[in-house]
């Protein structure tokens, strides 16, 4: 489905990014694996290339402009072009009420989740304008559509990601660049599972969340990956500016 295409995946070393990078490579794409985590990123590169598929890890902080520029230059330098990106790297909520969130905590989430997504889109779109188009998928969240308790910092960033997505779809539709976002429900990734194992009371919070999903379970990273691969492919050629829930029915409750 994606044979010969070149994609960037941020947050590729773990969770949904890793599952998506593996699927894109499996479907024949060359994948730039961008992440802060060098050890896990290099291990994934080795895993993909040892199966005869194409991947290149580049250590990237998506909140640093020079890193993001280098990430996009690596895609075009190694593989000659860029056909799309899964802008997925992000950090979790502080789980504090708004009046307890420090300015540093607020800025950290804005920097990574929102400014990081903006920077990636800025340089990816510039590259894709040169080769006639492409497809971008950003990771928002169900909290990019509705609010919740103790998540105002995170929810603000994910609402922002949906806003960026819709505006870019408007700006670049004429250039054959499609831009969509996915809004995952709770997905079983280290972001969730590691917190559950170390924060008192978090298991109970998760149990309530689990029941809010119509399917009465959490999602798997691979269930995000299949949607993202489809959005990156030409099979979704008439979809742009959409924020697509991949949430086991959470937002319909
Ligand atoms: P994860 O923690 O498993 O993976 C996130 C990856 O992003 C890690 O490899 C981490 O090293 C990387 N990363 C973090 N900050 C970075 C930075 N500044 N630059 C580059 N890489 C960075 O988490 P995940 O659950 O797979 O989350 C992926 C995305 O999905 C995030 O944007 C998250 O907000 C969003 N999301 C997660 C859930 C969920 O339930 N897990 C639900 C909705 C949305």
């Amino acid at each position: 489905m994606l044979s010969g295409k070149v994609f960037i995946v941020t947050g590729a070393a773990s969770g949904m990014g890793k599952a998506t990078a593996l699927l894109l490579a499996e479907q024949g794409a060359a994948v730039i694996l961008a992440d802060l985590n060098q050890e896990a990123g290099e291990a994934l590169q080795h895993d993909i290339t040892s199966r005869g598929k194409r991947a290149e890890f580049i250590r990237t902080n998506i909140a640093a402009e020079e890193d993001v520029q280098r990430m996009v230059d690596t895609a075009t330098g190694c593989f000659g072009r860029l056909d799309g990106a899964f802008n997925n790297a992000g950090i979790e909520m502080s789980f504090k009420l708004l009046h307890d969130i420090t300015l540093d905590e607020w800025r950290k989430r804005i920097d990574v989740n929102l400014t990081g997504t903006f920077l990636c889109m800025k340089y990816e779109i510039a590259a894709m304008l040169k080769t006639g188009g492409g497809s971008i998928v950003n990771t928002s969240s169900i909290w990019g559509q509705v609010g919740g308790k103790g998540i105002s910092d995170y929810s603000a960033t994910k609402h922002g990601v949906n806003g960026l997505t819709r505006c870019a779809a408007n700006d670049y539709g004429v250039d054959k660049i499609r831009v969509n976002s996915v809004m995952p429900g709770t997905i079983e990734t280290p972001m969730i599972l590691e917190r559950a194992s170390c924060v008192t009371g978090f298991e109970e919070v998760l149990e309530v969340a689990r029941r809010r999903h119509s399917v009465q379970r959490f999602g798997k990273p691979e269930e995000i990956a299949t949607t993202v691969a489809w959005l990156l492919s030409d099979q979704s050629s008439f979809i742009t500016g959409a924020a697509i829930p991949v949430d086991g029915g959470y937002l319909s409750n």
Side-chain angles (χ1 to χ4, degrees):
M1 189 162 90
L2 298 172
S3 191
K5 303 250 187 195
V6 179
F7 297 116
I8 288 170
V9 175
T10 72
S14 177
M16 298 180 227
K18 181 175 177 179
T20 303
L22 284 164
L23 181 62
L24 298 180
E26 200 51 48
Q27 292 189 356
V31 190
I32 299 296
L33 311 166
D35 205 290
L36 274 176
N37 186 335
Q38 180 136 6
E39 200 183 333
E42 285 177 349
L44 181 62
Q45 176 187 325
H46 181 261
D47 184 11
I48 292 173
T49 54
S50 64
R51 300 176 200 192
K53 309 290 182 187
R54 293 179 302 160
E56 185 74 27
F57 171 74
I58 174 144
R59 189 183 182 281
T60 310
N61 175 5
I62 60 159
E65 186 164 12
E66 60 280 11
D67 278 22
V68 173
Q69 257 178 300
R70 201 169 49 242
M71 171 186 84
V72 173
D73 287 348
T74 302
T76 53
C78 287
F79 300 116
R81 56 184 292 112
L82 181 64
D83 296 296
F86 180 34
N87 296 319
N88 161 75
I91 53 174
E92 63 198 347
M93 53 283 273
S94 61
F95 276 115
K96 289 181 172 177
L97 290 176
L98 191 147
H99 71 278
D100 288 327
I101 297 172
T102 66
L103 186 55
D104 277 352
E105 287 168 335
W106 169 262
R107 285 192 170 133
K108 192 172 160 200
R109 282 162 185 85
I110 295 285
D111 268 4
V112 177
N113 293 3
L114 189 54
T115 307
T117 304
F118 156 74
L119 285 172
C120 290
M121 290 172 74
K122 174 178 162 68
Y123 288 98
E124 291 157 0
I125 286 169
M128 290 191 285
L129 284 172
K130 292 181 191 152
T131 46
S135 174
I136 288 178
V137 181
N138 297 319
T139 301
S140 176
S141 165
I142 50 175
W143 308 122
Q145 180 165 312
V146 295
K149 285 191 193 312
I151 58 167
S152 51
D153 48 1
Y154 182 82
S155 183
T157 66
K158 296 301 188 179
H159 274 77
V161 167
N162 280 344
L164 272 176
T165 300
R166 294 184 180 111
C167 293
N170 264 278
D171 285 341
Y172 299 104
V174 70
D175 300 299
K176 299 190 173 59
I177 298 175
R178 296 185 296 113
V179 190
N180 295 289
S181 66
V182 284
M183 298 192 292
T186 307
I187 309 298
E188 289 171 351
T189 68
M191 181 180 280
I192 298 296
L193 301 176
E194 280 167 17
R195 185 176 271 261
S197 63
C198 63
V199 176
T200 317
F202 195 63
E203 275 293 351
E204 288 79 62
V205 172
L206 280 184
E207 194 42 45
V208 173
R210 197 189 312 270
R211 288 198 295 271
R212 283 285 307 273
H213 293 69
S214 303
V215 296
Q216 301 292 298
R217 67 172 176 86
F218 294 147
K220 307 264 182 228
E222 293 74 19
E223 293 177 294
I224 302 299
T226 48
T227 305
V228 174
W230 173 70
L231 285 170
L232 290 174
S233 80
D234 295 337
Q235 293 191 338
S236 58
S237 53
F238 202 50
I239 301 179
T240 195
I244 300 186
V246 191
D247 67 346
Y250 191 103
L251 287 173
S252 64
N253 278 312

